[in-house]
Amino acid sequence: MQLYSSEEERQKAFPVVQKRVFLAHAGVTALPSCAARAMSEYITECSREQQEFRDVLKEVARARNDAALLLGVHTEEIALLGPTSLGLSLFANGIAWKKGDEVIVYADDYPANVYPWLELQNRGVRIKWLEVDALGRITPDAVESCITSATRLVALASCHFQTGWRIDIPAIGSLLRKRDILFSLDAIQTLGSFPTPASEVDFLAADAHKWLLGPLAAGIVYVAKKRFETCRPTLLGSWNVKSPDFLAQKTIEFEEGGRRYEPGVLNIPGIYGMRASINLIAEQGIESISSLILERRDQLETRLADLGFEFLSPRQHEPLRSGIIAARHPGYDPALLFASLERAFISASLRKTRDYGVWLRFSPHFYNTSEEIERVTDVLSESIRE
């Protein structure tokens, strides 16, 4: 299955492929041309008009609506804020915690989804560390075994950033709803690559700069409407507190909907770029994108296994695998293989784990081709023969 009719069309949509094989979407993506163009056109117009010219707020509204459609939620539940850590911090700081409340956290999650919750210990909150049987593999049973009568919130990532294990969002969401436990989700490693049903969680945050193929520091924050009073805005300004005629009031009354979490001027260039990327994802279809990602990922796994590589990621038979594949060759330094890839203009990542050493991390997207995967494994094959 291929979504572009010609290589010329693919290169026009993704200029990065003109000079390199890009398999680092779990890190920071290269921008597709549609996002770069949207940002450039906005910035150029800003040299002719004031930065909040006539169409800007309309574009913000459209971006809010498109983000809601992507997540399958209501527009009024969306705030346009990045990076991911900002949204997660808003959730952690906005809840009225009681001494003795417990938050379940995975210690080997990305730091942005650990530190906001860890800081709550200064407010009397207890952190319960989730225990798993494999790095990044978080199951409903593992979550359930950690729950106590004091559990107030569970903070998880939709996919582990090192190994690529995805979580079963609906199953965990159902488990927590039955117990009236809040569910916060760091969705940056699946948004744009796999279905990420926000309606199953209470809070969600994701920046656009990975699988969503958008710019840095533009992101989506979701708060379920029923949780607006549970999570009080902690960043305040003239945009989210009602200020008629820009005059401060003697009482605080928040704006309606997700805007209540946006304190001031938004990242407008980023929102233009992010909206273009969201529409690109929507046009291709998330199910089609997921299928193509797994096709490329599984092709890479097969070829690497033939070369004698070992894997930290779930294997092809696992339904909750993602586009991330962490691998290394037992006889070669991953850093040297990474350098070989760089010299061949192949973008991957080098990631160190707490207990399992250093690994090459590959993360192909839907527009990567079978020929590109073969190119990667050819370079690695040559490197381990030298």
Side-chain angles (χ1 to χ4, degrees):
M1 179 170 54
Q2 183 56 265
L3 297 179
Y4 291 98
S5 59
S6 69
E7 178 61 16
E8 181 181 4
E9 182 183 348
R10 187 178 78 100
Q11 290 186 14
K12 184 177 180 181
F14 294 92
V16 68
V17 305
Q18 297 172 17
K19 66 175 184 178
R20 64 173 51 245
V21 177
F22 193 85
L23 302 182
H25 298 92
V28 178
T29 187
L31 289 176
S33 59
C34 63
R37 183 168 56 251
M39 298 171 72
S40 177
E41 289 175 354
Y42 164 74
I43 291 169
T44 298
E45 189 64 17
C46 287
S47 69
R48 303 187 181 107
E49 302 266 4
Q50 62 167 322
Q51 294 181 63
E52 288 186 335
F53 54 84
R54 58 191 178 280
D55 291 330
V56 168
L57 293 184
K58 292 179 182 178
E59 185 70 5
V60 169
R62 288 189 286 262
R64 201 184 301 274
N65 183 67
D66 291 344
L69 290 173
L70 178 69
L71 289 171
V73 297
H74 298 292
T75 302
E76 63 182 334
E77 297 174 307
I78 296 295
L80 299 176
L81 293 172
T84 308
S85 55
L86 175 59
L88 298 173
S89 293
L90 284 172
F91 308 152
N93 295 328
I95 296 171
W97 301 98
K98 301 187 298 291
K99 186 176 182 179
D101 282 345
E102 291 181 353
V103 175
I104 294 176
V105 179
Y106 182 45
D108 280 315
D109 207 341
Y110 194 73
N113 201 28
V114 175
Y115 294 147
W117 311 107
L118 193 60
E119 175 66 13
L120 295 176
Q121 292 178 120
N122 292 325
R123 294 165 63 179
V125 174
R126 293 177 57 196
I127 301 301
K128 288 212 62 180
W129 300 110
L130 189 65
E131 295 185 3
V132 299
D133 59 9
L135 180 63
R137 187 183 186 189
I138 297 173
T139 64
D141 286 344
V143 174
E144 186 171 25
S145 67
C146 200
I147 291 172
T148 73
S149 59
T151 303
R152 182 84 181 278
L153 182 144
V154 174
L156 299 178
S158 57
C159 174
H160 192 256
F161 74 105
Q162 291 175 324
T163 62
W165 278 104
R166 287 184 292 132
I167 66 170
D168 188 336
I169 299 171
I172 295 175
S174 176
L175 169 72
L176 299 180
R177 275 196 306 278
K178 290 175 182 177
R179 293 162 173 78
D180 196 27
I181 296 171
L182 298 171
F183 189 4
S184 172
L185 191 69
D186 172 351
I188 197 169
Q189 290 291 2
T190 59
L191 195 60
S193 58
F194 288 87
T196 307
S199 59
E200 299 288 344
V201 308
D202 299 290
F203 314 111
L204 178 150
D207 204 61
H209 70 263
K210 297 184 187 292
W211 301 93
L212 195 55
L213 302 174
L216 291 158
I220 301 170
V221 166
Y222 160 78
V223 178
K225 185 177 180 180
K226 64 182 179 180
R227 301 303 185 191
F228 281 178
E229 297 305 316
T230 302
C231 183
R232 182 177 175 85
T234 51
L235 298 175
L236 307 185
S238 62
W239 179 246
N240 64 344
V241 179
K242 291 184 178 180
S243 306
D245 299 316
F246 302 104
L247 297 174
Q249 306 298 294
K250 292 185 177 180
T251 59
I252 291 177
E253 182 181 357
F254 291 110
E255 294 285 352
E256 300 298 321
R259 179 175 161 180
R260 67 180 52 218
Y261 298 102
E262 302 166 354
V265 174
L266 299 173
N267 176 7
I268 300 299
I271 289 172
Y272 270 75
M274 180 175 69
R275 181 174 181 246
S277 294
I278 289 173
N279 288 335
L280 172 64
I281 296 295
E283 288 166 8
Q284 306 296 352
I286 196 66
E287 296 294 344
S288 177
I289 286 172
S290 300
S291 178
L292 277 168
I293 288 173
L294 290 179
E295 184 178 322
R296 296 292 169 258
R297 176 241 182 261
D298 291 348
Q299 176 192 356
L300 179 59
E301 180 191 311
T302 298
R303 290 288 286 115
L304 290 176
D306 290 343
L307 294 174
F309 278 72
E310 58 188 13
F311 302 94
L312 190 63
S313 299
R315 303 301 296 271
Q316 293 182 34
H317 64 277
E318 294 288 353
L320 289 177
R321 69 195 188 284
S322 69
I324 294 173
I325 180 166
R328 68 185 178 192
H329 196 287
Y332 296 86
D333 183 349
L336 295 179
L337 294 180
F338 179 76
S340 297
L341 293 171
E342 282 289 300
R343 286 193 297 272
F345 298 99
I346 296 170
S347 295
S349 304
L350 192 65
R351 289 292 180 266
K352 183 178 181 179
T353 63
R354 192 187 311 275
D355 299 316
Y356 302 97
V358 179
W359 299 77
L360 294 170
R361 186 184 70 180
F362 302 94
S363 45
H365 217 307
F366 77 91
Y367 66 88
N368 290 119
T369 65
S370 176
E371 291 78 12
E372 287 181 322
I373 299 301
E374 291 300 316
R375 169 65 177 149
V376 171
T377 54
D378 285 347
V379 169
L380 290 173
S381 178
E382 292 171 6
S383 297
I384 63 178
R385 286 203 307 263
E386 291 178 355

